[in-house]
Amino acid sequence: MRDPQPHRIPVAVTGAQLANKVQQALGDSIDVRRADSTTEARDALRHRDIVAVLGSGPHGRDLKLDVASANGLSTTTAVTKLVTAYAHGADQHLSVSDIVPLDRYDARGLAGFYVSFGVTLSGFALAQNVVGLSSLLHLRHRFTLMAVFAAASGLVAAAIAGPILDAVPAPYLPLAFVLALLAAAAAFTTKMLATYVGPLGIPLATLLLLTVGNSTSGATVGTDLMPSGARTVSALLPPGAAVRAIADLSYFQSSHVLAPLATLILWAAGSAVLLAFRTTKQRPAAPASPQPQPQPQPQTAPTPHRSGEDRPTPHRATADDTPTIHWADTDERHLAPGNDTARHPAFTVPPKEPDTILKASSDCV
């Protein structure tokens, strides 16, 4: 953008003699393509195979230049200046006509760029939110959310830019499809980078999609005025592909729309596949349920008891591991004869040593 220069801008020139003169005068700034007739050259211009047609006027002295401003003002202005300089040097008059003009409400040819930028930004912001919800949403729910949002973004943006503002003259449904693909490409690419790279994925997506992608999209500065590296990047990134597709749908009879569509589909589908692969690979395997082990039965040590009395029932040890014995039907205070019918509720007494128990039994007898 700092210093755009024309690099082999394709221009059709009718007449072999004129073509040789223009090539020698303008050098590598223009890629001269000889045309057999003006009609054939104009047809190539309407299909975006070239950006201008140069031919001789009716009397052979004047020059006539046909341009397509739908290619972008930067490209059209650059071609016009180059040919004007040649005509001035050759002492010939130049007349310029625009046979593929821009829409009435898009005088500078930037509507396609702005709608693409807005959709790219919406897909990028959606992916940031999905990254924050990754721990709460299942993979299929994340995919459904991004796909539905991308479709909604395409439909809404196409309605605003097309029927509502009448700034983009492309058919509504094809335009909505392109913008939906762009939103999906931005969302899935951002989410994929965040999944693979971690916290640096969001800045990387910002640099790739919003900074480099939009600056090389070809809307503000035509691709023919960029260095070769920027032209290559422009064709491979989603924003540049979307800008080309919108221009083809709007002004050039969809002549070269398949290549940008393929680029958008590859970005969206490829990022989705990589994201699904990484998420599935990281999912931990379900642990095998352990087989129930038989619980060992507690063994009870035999406890001394009086003759004719019920055997005491052992209970669980207390916190200090001191065993307790539950005497169900007897009370030491009621062992006298005649009192054996008196029954008292069960209670817990501290355990006695075996010698003590035997001595107490002898005393009672």
Side-chain angles (χ1 to χ4, degrees):
M1 294 183 180
R2 181 177 65 87
D3 186 24
Q5 296 293 332
H7 298 278
R8 301 186 62 82
I9 300 178
V11 177
V13 180
T14 57
Q17 185 177 5
L18 179 60
N20 292 332
K21 291 180 179 180
V22 172
Q23 186 69 73
Q24 292 176 359
L26 300 179
D28 292 336
S29 298
I30 289 182
D31 179 17
V32 175
R33 301 182 183 182
R34 297 180 182 179
D36 296 333
S37 64
T38 303
T39 302
E40 177 185 352
R42 288 178 177 176
D43 186 64
L45 179 61
R46 293 187 180 96
H47 287 83
R48 213 182 191 183
D49 296 325
I50 55 176
V51 300
V53 178
L54 177 63
S56 300
H59 305 289
R61 286 189 53 84
D62 297 335
L63 296 177
K64 182 174 178 57
L65 179 67
D66 296 324
V67 297
S69 59
N71 278 309
L73 289 183
S74 59
T75 302
T76 304
T77 302
V79 170
T80 304
K81 287 183 177 181
L82 288 172
V83 177
T84 301
Y86 168 79
H88 181 74
D91 196 19
Q92 292 180 299
H93 176 72
L94 178 67
S95 61
V96 181
S97 60
D98 189 358
I99 65 173
V100 187
L102 288 167
D103 192 74
R104 173 186 175 186
Y105 296 106
D106 187 21
R108 300 187 59 83
L110 297 177
F113 165 76
Y114 282 117
V115 69
S116 298
F117 179 80
V119 170
T120 303
L121 187 60
S122 69
F124 173 80
L126 168 68
Q128 284 186 298
N129 287 274
V130 173
V131 170
L133 297 174
S134 297
S135 59
L136 303 177
L137 297 178
H138 192 273
L139 177 64
R140 64 175 179 272
H141 297 152
R142 282 176 270 163
F143 272 46
T144 302
L145 175 61
M146 288 190 288
V148 171
F149 185 88
S153 296
L155 292 171
V156 172
I160 294 175
I164 296 178
L165 298 180
D166 200 22
V168 179
Y172 174 70
L173 289 180
L175 177 61
F177 180 65
V178 170
L179 295 177
L181 286 178
L182 176 60
F188 281 102
T189 300
T190 303
K191 182 65 173 68
M192 182 268 295
L193 290 175
T195 301
Y196 275 83
V197 184
L200 293 178
I202 300 299
L204 183 59
T206 305
L207 179 66
L208 183 67
L209 297 175
L210 300 181
T211 306
V212 178
N214 285 298
S215 64
T216 62
S217 62
T220 54
V221 175
T223 55
D224 295 307
L225 307 180
M226 296 180 185
S228 58
R231 291 200 301 269
T232 303
V233 170
S234 175
L236 297 178
L237 293 180
V243 169
R244 285 172 171 78
I246 293 172
D248 283 332
L249 291 172
S250 301
Y251 300 107
F252 299 103
Q253 306 172 27
S254 304
S255 300
H256 300 281
V257 75
L258 292 181
L261 285 179
T263 300
L264 294 173
I265 291 173
L266 286 176
W267 275 96
S271 299
V273 170
L274 291 175
L275 179 60
F277 173 77
R278 182 62 178 266
T279 306
T280 305
K281 186 177 180 181
Q282 289 181 338
R283 184 179 302 167
S289 58
Q291 297 294 331
Q293 300 293 334
Q295 299 294 331
Q297 298 296 330
Q299 297 181 358
T300 306
T303 305
H305 62 281
R306 299 177 180 88
S307 176
E309 294 178 349
D310 295 333
R311 185 179 297 274
T313 303
H315 284 258
R316 180 179 299 176
T318 58
D320 58 353
D321 295 331
T322 303
T324 59
I325 301 176
H326 179 232
W327 300 85
D329 297 315
T330 62
D331 189 337
E332 288 185 344
R333 294 176 298 176
H334 299 276
L335 295 178
N339 269 350
D340 58 343
T341 58
R343 301 291 183 179
H344 291 270
F347 64 95
T348 301
V349 297
K352 297 180 174 60
E353 296 295 330
D355 294 340
T356 306
I357 297 175
L358 291 178
K359 181 179 179 182
S361 300
S362 301
D363 293 341
C364 292
V365 173

